[in-house]
């Protein structure tokens, strides 16, 4: 199939690129599956189509507060920022700044420009950032835990914490991933490298008719293809952004 939409179709497409069924591809099925996983991992880490920006929320539980961290799902691979927790302009109660301004001035805002109102809130936020600072957090994608450096009594059980994050594009859900041209070429190149690596074990062995294995040539060609594809990928990556994970 020219445009694969499943993992199995993707695998068969990559093998046909290498010559199947005209040529026997000396790679075990488990090795092919491993190389597909490797290709997807690289795709998610570096390709701009492999990730999407998302906002992920947690409803804080008593266990979260006791642990001192939030559990992050596997498909989140990086966290960029947190929404402010308990800031002075939040609408948690009757005595916060935003509520009081709205209570006293909102009825009259239609008579005036909104610029001073907006600028006042900007100044309040700047003052809070100077005096309190941005909320610090730590996250490692291999631990799947988001540590927030604060006293957890600052937030009530049942309230929400929201993070700006990067989420992988799951090919089982979004099947167009399987027909990505770069991913098809990269997957085939990784399988080709595995094929060459397997054949180098029989280098110099003579076959009937005087033929010999040349696994090193297949391996070297595959390594060159992989390097070219990874260099090409550098121009497709997201622009640099602060990310923890």
């Amino acid at each position: 199939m020219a445009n694969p939409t499943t993992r199995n179709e993707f695998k068969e497409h990559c093998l046909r690129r290498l010559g199947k069924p005209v040529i026997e591809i000396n790679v075990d099925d488990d090795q092919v599956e491993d190389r597909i996983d490797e290709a997807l991992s690289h795709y998610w880490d570096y390709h701009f189509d492999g990730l999407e920006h998302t906002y992920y929320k947690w409803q804080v539980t008593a266990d979260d507060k006791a642990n001192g961290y939030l559990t992050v799902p596997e498909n989140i691979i990086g966290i960029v920022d947190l929404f402010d927790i308990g800031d002075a302009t939040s609408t948690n109660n009757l005595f916060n700044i935003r509520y009081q301004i709205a209570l006293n001035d909102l009825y009259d805002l239609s008579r005036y420009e909104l610029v001073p109102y907006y600028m006042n809130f900007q100044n309040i936020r700047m003052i809070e950032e100077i005096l309190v600072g941005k909320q610090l957090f730590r996250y490692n994608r291999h631990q799947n835990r988001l540590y927030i450096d604060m006293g957890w009594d600052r937030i009530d059980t049942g309230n929400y914490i929201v993070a700006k994050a990067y989420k992988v594009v799951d090919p089982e859900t979004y099947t167009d991933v399987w027909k990505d041209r770069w991913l098809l070429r990269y997957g085939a190149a990784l399988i080709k490298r595995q094929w060459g690596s397997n054949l180098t074990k029989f280098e110099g062995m003579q076959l009937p008719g005087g033929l010999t294995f040349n696994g090193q040539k297949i391996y070297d060609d595959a390594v060159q293809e992989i390097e070219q594809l990874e260099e090409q990928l550098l121009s497709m990556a997201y622009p640099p952004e602060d990310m923890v994970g």
Side-chain angles (χ1 to χ4, degrees):
M1 180 175 287
N3 293 314
T5 56
T6 67
R7 185 183 180 100
N8 190 62
E9 290 174 359
F10 178 87
K11 176 172 66 175
E12 292 300 318
H13 183 99
C14 291
L15 292 173
R16 287 197 303 274
R17 275 177 171 261
L18 300 178
K20 181 184 178 181
V22 178
I23 300 173
E24 182 179 357
I25 311 301
N26 306 105
V27 181
D28 183 74
D29 192 63
D30 287 341
Q31 291 179 317
V32 174
E33 293 292 337
D34 289 344
R35 299 293 75 76
I36 293 175
D37 288 339
E38 183 180 347
L40 282 172
S41 179
H42 202 85
Y43 180 78
W44 288 331
D45 282 346
Y46 298 104
H47 199 291
F48 68 89
D49 279 336
L51 297 175
E52 63 174 327
H53 280 108
T54 188
Y55 293 94
Y56 191 83
K57 69 178 186 297
W58 294 264
Q59 188 171 20
V60 177
T61 66
D63 288 342
D64 294 330
K65 297 177 70 171
N67 293 333
Y69 63 82
L70 300 171
T71 301
V72 181
E74 286 281 349
N75 63 342
I76 301 292
I77 69 168
I79 293 179
V80 177
D81 200 4
L82 291 179
F83 279 36
D84 291 336
I85 301 171
D87 62 304
T89 57
S90 66
T91 53
N92 291 331
N93 56 67
L94 291 173
F95 303 102
N96 68 79
I97 294 172
R98 180 177 296 179
Y99 185 89
Q100 291 299 321
I101 289 178
L103 183 66
N104 289 282
D105 299 329
L106 191 58
Y107 74 94
D108 208 27
L109 282 177
S110 59
R111 298 173 50 192
Y112 304 100
E113 294 183 0
L114 289 177
V115 174
Y117 178 78
Y118 176 81
M119 293 302 298
N120 283 334
F121 271 109
Q122 289 292 95
N123 288 336
I124 292 169
R125 186 166 293 279
M126 182 180 68
I127 292 170
E128 183 182 31
E129 191 163 321
I130 291 173
L131 297 179
V132 180
K134 294 290 289 183
Q135 185 62 63
L136 299 178
F137 64 93
R138 294 168 286 121
Y139 168 67
N140 186 295
R141 61 190 287 189
H142 300 298
Q143 293 178 324
N144 294 323
R145 294 176 178 179
L146 173 62
Y147 291 92
I148 304 175
D149 298 325
M150 67 175 184
W152 281 83
D153 55 351
R154 180 179 173 186
I155 186 167
D156 295 330
T157 301
N159 283 358
Y160 287 90
I161 292 178
V162 182
K164 181 182 178 183
Y166 281 111
K167 180 175 72 173
V168 302
V169 179
D170 185 2
E172 301 304 321
T173 303
Y174 305 102
T175 56
D176 275 6
V177 171
W178 294 120
K179 62 183 181 183
D180 184 275
R181 285 181 295 178
W182 185 90
L183 184 61
L184 285 166
R185 292 172 61 195
Y186 192 67
L190 291 178
I191 296 171
K192 183 177 180 179
R193 185 180 65 183
Q194 182 68 65
W195 179 23
S197 178
N198 291 349
L199 291 181
T200 56
K201 310 299 189 297
F202 305 98
E203 194 73 28
M205 180 181 293
Q206 193 167 22
L207 301 175
L211 299 175
T212 58
F213 285 111
N214 194 357
Q216 189 63 47
K217 179 67 166 64
I218 296 175
Y219 181 87
D220 291 342
D221 288 348
V223 168
Q224 185 176 1
E225 291 173 22
I226 290 168
E227 289 176 352
Q228 291 174 348
L229 287 167
E230 291 180 352
E231 287 178 7
Q232 179 187 350
L233 191 59
L234 293 177
S235 63
M236 301 181 183
Y238 269 119
E241 183 177 6
D242 292 337
M243 181 172 72
V244 180

